Amino acid sequence: MAVDPHDMGDGAEDQREGILVGCGNPLLDISASVPMDFLKKYEMNEDDAILAEERHMPIYRELVDGFQAEFLAGGSVQNSLRIAQWILGQPKVAVFFGCVGEDEYADILMEKARSAGLDVHYQIKKDVPTGTCAVLITGTHRSLCANLAAANNFTIDHLDQPHNKTLVENALYYYISGFFLTVNPPSIMQVAATALAKQRPFLMNLSAPFISQFYMAPLLAVMPYVDIIFGNEAEAHAFATAQGWPTEDLREIGKRLVALDKLNPARPRIAILTQGCDPVLLIQRDSVEEFPVTRLAVHEIVDTNGAGDAFVGGFLSQFVQGKSLDVCIRCGNYAAGHIIKNPGCTYTGEPQFVE
């Protein structure tokens, strides 16, 4: 039996301010087209998504000094919420928590987020710079190297401040990335527990293969709270490998994700797995559905960075309105297709999604 998202949230109050809360790593993307030699120099592969180590630290200055770099608002959850706000067309539906420094990069991020209609509540650390992410574009591929910096310093006491605590408790939907597991698992668990106590949907993303490879313990700790889990094929395969599951079939992996322990069995888990230009899989307890993706011509593809974030943003924009899962996924596909035609996770014009 398919689960209707109307049963997972309160559609009657759609689009009031603050119904969607997200926590993540606010990063300023430094994006540039680079030759393959540049990737090799920093021991990176096409489509990598990694955390910066000491050997990667010169990469950010080198991008600015040696290439035509663009500065774009980034960070997975913040991207998704900006896209949701763009499609909803009503400010402050979404609230975002994350940590930045007290510097020019933080000012740029704040301006970009607020101009998108996002209600931003940054924790500010004066002695640490705002996080950055190198986005290395090689043809239609993009490789990410994130220096979390201030984003890594988020602490749970920020969520415990009275105003922020009220924002979390008043939300109807919650979305957190797997990336945030590297920063502050207690904050994730607190938000997840709030969602469970209030019987409200908690959505999460596998985010990158390295999360399953190196942060499986905190990921498994939060998984019983997760009502909807997003991921792409590489992330799903990494999770399966880390779990020792004897399959590479994405449908089977999705069924196993759905079947993992859950604290609220009355709301069965849903897995939504993307496969680039192949169909999106909607996996529920007793069904697997496919949703086709409109293929773009090579010349239309500007930058695949942010396509996954945009998919979630499109999905969320409909989900918080109580729309059916098929409408949510089709809007996710629309948003991802739009973002691919633009640099970074940016959009142009008014949204054109039609149910």
Side-chain angles (χ1 to χ4, degrees), residues 189 196 202 218-229 239 243 245 254-270 285:
M189 299 302 290
L196 177 67
F202 182 80
L219 178 55
L220 288 180
V222 74
M223 192 62 79
Y225 296 87
V226 177
D227 296 305
I228 298 181
I229 185 76
F239 188 95
Q243 286 292 294
W245 292 346
K255 288 178 181 178
R256 287 175 177 247
L257 276 168
V258 165
L260 289 170
D261 287 346
K262 194 163 188 306
L263 283 169
N264 181 6
R267 184 188 287 152
R269 184 179 297 113
I270 294 166
R285 190 166 50 184

Side-chain angles (χ1 to χ4, degrees), residues 16-324:
R16 73 162 166 79
E17 288 188 4
I19 60 173
L20 172 61
V21 158
C23 298
N25 301 328
L27 305 174
L28 188 68
D29 285 352
I30 304 174
S31 177
S33 293
V34 299
M36 281 298 298
D37 288 349
F38 191 85
L39 290 186
K40 291 175 184 172
K41 174 180 177 180
Y42 287 101
E43 299 177 44
M44 291 179 65
N45 302 309
E46 287 187 323
D47 296 320
D48 261 354
I50 64 172
L51 291 178
E53 299 174 25
E54 197 60 42
R55 70 175 184 271
H56 298 115
M57 290 308 169
I59 204 170
Y60 307 96
R61 174 51 54 192
E62 190 170 346
L63 281 179
V64 173
D65 291 346
F67 298 89
Q68 290 184 309
E70 284 189 275
F71 292 94
L72 303 164
S76 180
V77 173
Q78 190 168 240
N79 282 344
S80 294
L81 298 187
R82 285 192 301 108
I83 298 301
Q85 283 287 168
W86 171 59
I87 294 171
L88 284 164
Q90 178 181 329
K92 297 189 176 182
V93 173
V95 175
F96 177 75
F97 295 105
C99 188
V100 297
E102 191 174 48
D103 52 29
E104 183 187 3
Y105 283 2
D107 294 341
I108 294 171
L109 274 182
M110 178 75 80
E111 189 278 323
K112 297 272 188 189
R114 286 189 168 161
S115 67
L118 199 52
D119 187 13
V120 174
H121 294 267
Y122 291 144
Q123 184 175 18
I124 296 172
K125 297 287 185 179
K126 295 185 178 181
D127 54 346
V128 192
T130 295
T132 49
C133 182
V135 181
L136 311 176
I137 301 166
T138 49
T140 59
H141 299 275
R142 59 90 177 102
S143 308
L144 307 178
C145 184
N147 177 23
L148 298 184
N152 205 36
N153 289 358
F154 188 90
T155 53
I156 197 168
D157 59 292
H158 187 62
L159 295 179
D160 290 334
Q161 292 181 9
H163 180 65
N164 294 341
K165 190 177 181 72
T166 298
L167 288 169
V168 172
E169 290 180 348
N170 286 347
L172 301 179
Y173 305 86
Y174 303 88
Y175 175 60
I176 296 181
S177 68
F179 288 127
F180 207 55
L181 290 166
T182 75
V183 172
N184 197 268
S187 294
I188 300 177
M189 299 302 290
Q190 181 166 301
V191 173
T194 299
L196 177 67
K198 294 181 176 292
Q199 297 285 293
R200 292 168 182 171
F202 182 80
L203 297 81
M204 200 160 178
N205 204 311
L206 294 174
S207 293
F210 81 84
I211 299 297
S212 291
Q213 291 161 354
F214 304 115
Y215 296 89
M216 182 58 85
L219 178 55
L220 288 180
V222 74
M223 192 62 79
Y225 296 87
V226 177
D227 296 305
I228 298 181
I229 185 76
F230 297 96
N232 65 25
E233 54 199 321
E235 294 154 6
H237 284 133
F239 188 95
T241 299
Q243 286 292 294
W245 292 346
T247 181
E248 292 190 4
D249 178 69
L250 207 56
R251 292 163 170 258
E252 179 62 26
I253 292 170
K255 288 178 181 178
R256 287 175 177 247
L257 276 168
V258 165
L260 289 170
D261 287 346
K262 194 163 188 306
L263 283 169
N264 181 6
R267 184 188 287 152
R269 184 179 297 113
I270 294 166
I272 298 171
L273 302 179
T274 60
Q275 311 180 79
C277 59
D278 291 327
V280 175
L281 301 181
L282 168 61
I283 300 159
Q284 301 184 77
R285 190 166 50 184
D286 55 0
S287 67
V288 179
E289 295 176 69
E290 291 190 358
F291 292 82
V293 173
T294 302
R295 286 177 179 262
L296 298 177
V298 173
H299 72 271
E300 293 181 285
I301 299 173
V302 173
D303 182 1
T304 54
N305 179 35
D309 298 340
F311 176 87
V312 173
F315 182 97
L316 289 170
S317 74
Q318 304 306 300
F319 192 64
V320 302
Q321 298 181 72
K323 300 292 176 66
S324 65

Side-chain angles (χ1 to χ4, degrees), residues 316-340:
L316 289 170
S317 74
Q318 304 306 300
F319 192 64
V320 302
Q321 298 181 72
K323 300 292 176 66
S324 65
L325 289 171
D326 67 316
V327 170
C328 296
I329 289 172
R330 285 194 290 105
C331 190
N333 282 338
Y334 160 75
H338 179 91
I339 262 59
I340 286 171

